[in-house]
Amino acid sequence: LYVLSPENNQIYKYERLSNRYGPPSQYNVNGDLSGAIDMAIDGSVYVLKEGGTIVKLLRGEVQPYAIRHAPDGVLKNATKIFKVPEGNTYFLDPVRSRVVIVTDGGASGDAAYVKQYVLESDEVGQLQDLFVDPDEARLYVVDEKRIFKVDLSGN
């Protein structure tokens, strides 16, 4: 279990024991987590910061991470990050009612912009969160009242 604590510039890791969790250990070694708002885990830990900056950590140490071919400021308003294990990374941008998709950067940290999905409807409220199924066939986006399903398999 990992808990993000930007005010302490730390991610606390709790080891699962047979019937409980152990005491927290500090995971972050050298990352700047100030302004962190969300994180996702896929072997590495990806921390989304206010303004769209991503900090990638492996064993607590900062790793290179860049998104190639992305429009300027594409993650500026992102509030949530979702990482499919060994798959793409998804970012929720409630200001522009969209989800931005980038490839997995792998060990090099060289991710690439793929596309974005914009939810355009009078029924779409303030977007709150997102989920992608493990085979990346469906994207689910939640606002205050509804769940929207986007079919990713046909694109």
Side-chain angles (χ1 to χ4, degrees):
L1 175 68
Y2 293 79
V3 177
L4 177 62
S5 178
E7 57 278 352
N8 294 327
N9 198 50
Q10 196 51 257
I11 296 171
Y12 296 105
K13 180 179 177 182
Y14 293 82
E15 295 285 338
R16 183 171 171 84
L17 305 174
S18 60
N19 62 350
R20 63 184 172 85
Y21 286 95
S25 61
Q26 296 185 354
Y27 178 79
N28 182 32
V29 174
N30 62 350
D32 176 11
L33 305 182
S34 59
I37 54 177
D38 199 17
M39 72 175 173
I41 301 172
D42 173 23
S44 297
V45 175
Y46 299 83
V47 178
L48 172 63
K49 296 173 59 170
E50 293 170 345
T53 303
I54 307 299
V55 177
K56 179 181 177 184
L57 301 169
L58 180 62
R59 293 185 206 90
E61 302 212 0
V62 173
Q63 302 296 305
Y65 188 82
I67 301 172
R68 294 178 289 113
H69 312 300
D72 287 341
V74 72
L75 299 181
K76 177 182 165 193
N77 299 307
T79 59
K80 297 287 181 182
I81 180 173
F82 187 90
K83 179 75 176 77
V84 174
E86 299 178 21
N88 291 325
T89 307
Y90 296 77
F91 298 92
L92 182 69
D93 178 349
V95 173
R96 295 192 174 152
S97 295
R98 67 180 175 174
V99 174
V100 176
I101 306 172
V102 301
T103 61
D104 179 42
S108 71
D110 224 8
Y113 173 82
V114 176
K115 64 175 84 174
Q116 64 183 349
Y117 286 93
V118 179
L119 284 79
E120 293 180 322
S121 168
D122 292 339
E123 295 183 7
V124 177
Q126 182 71 18
L127 301 181
Q128 308 281 320
D129 211 344
L130 76 160
F131 175 82
V132 180
D133 62 8
D135 62 359
E136 295 191 73
R138 286 170 297 286
L139 159 69
Y140 300 90
V141 183
V142 179
D143 72 6
E144 308 95 334
K145 299 177 186 175
R146 294 173 205 78
I147 299 173
F148 301 94
K149 180 174 84 169
V150 178
D151 181 10
L152 300 175
S153 59
N155 296 320

